[in-house]
Structure formats: structure tokens, C-alpha cells
Amino acid sequence: MTIVLKGIKLRLYPNKQQQAQLWQMFGNDRFVWNQMLDMAKQRYQNNPSSQFIDQYGMDALLKPLKQEYPFLKRSDSTSLQVVNHNLYQA
């Protein structure tokens, strides 16, 4: 029995507005990653016996973070939650 794997190669050509939205989203994802990582580091420095904040705790911090940095509202909330999930897994 042989297994045949098939794939589709796809290339997208976003227009200028879509490119700007993608760059905004990627930048916001990077910003949230760095902010959450910094918060976790500071929490550990202040109390080394504390546990690393879990994914749901980081998701709860997204709302106040969006209030502090309004440009985060331009990004899809799901992408920011994926960032928190990836940070928690790392």
C-alpha cells in the first residue's frame, strides 16, 4: 500500500490596502508577543516562585492592552490570541 501526498501551491497578490493591513497585523502580533513576554519576565523577577501565566490569563490581559494601545484594535483578535497560545507553548 502506497500513500500519495498531494499539495497545492498557491500564491496571493494582495493589493496595497491588503498589504498595509497584513503589515499592521504582523506588527501588532509582534508587539503583543513582546509585551506579554516582558510582563511574564517582570512577574518572575518580582516573585520567582510565581507560576508562568497561562494562555487564558494572557487572553484576559488583551482587553486592557488594547485600551492602553488603541492601534491593537485594528488587528484581528484571533491573531492576537494565537500569539498568546504560541507564547504559552514556547
Side-chain angles (χ1 to χ4, degrees), residues 2-34:
T2 60
I3 298 175
V4 178
L5 297 176
K6 293 184 179 185
I8 298 174
K9 199 180 258 192
L10 180 68
R11 176 150 178 140
L12 300 176
Y13 297 96
N15 61 31
K16 295 288 183 190
Q17 180 185 2
Q18 292 167 333
Q19 286 177 6
Q21 289 174 334
L22 286 171
W23 283 115
Q24 177 73 42
M25 185 182 67
F26 295 146
N28 288 351
D29 289 350
R30 188 172 47 251
F31 180 81
V32 167
W33 175 283
N34 291 333

Side-chain angles (χ1 to χ4, degrees), residues 1 3 36-37 41 43 47 49 62-63 70 72 77 79 81 85-86 89:
M1 181 176 161
I3 298 175
M36 293 293 179
L37 184 60
K41 284 181 178 180
R43 181 178 178 189
N47 185 6
S49 64
L62 280 176
K63 188 172 183 179
L72 291 176
S77 63
S79 72
Q81 291 172 349
H85 172 74
N86 291 339
Q89 293 294 320

Side-chain angles (χ1 to χ4, degrees), residues 44-55:
Y44 179 76
Q45 286 176 352
N46 293 336
N47 185 6
S49 64
S50 67
Q51 298 249 341
F52 188 78
I53 191 167
D54 65 348
Q55 177 183 348

Side-chain angles (χ1 to χ4, degrees), residues 71-82:
F71 62 87
L72 291 176
K73 293 178 183 177
R74 288 187 243 148
S75 191
D76 182 40
S77 63
T78 308
S79 72
L80 301 178
Q81 291 172 349
V82 169

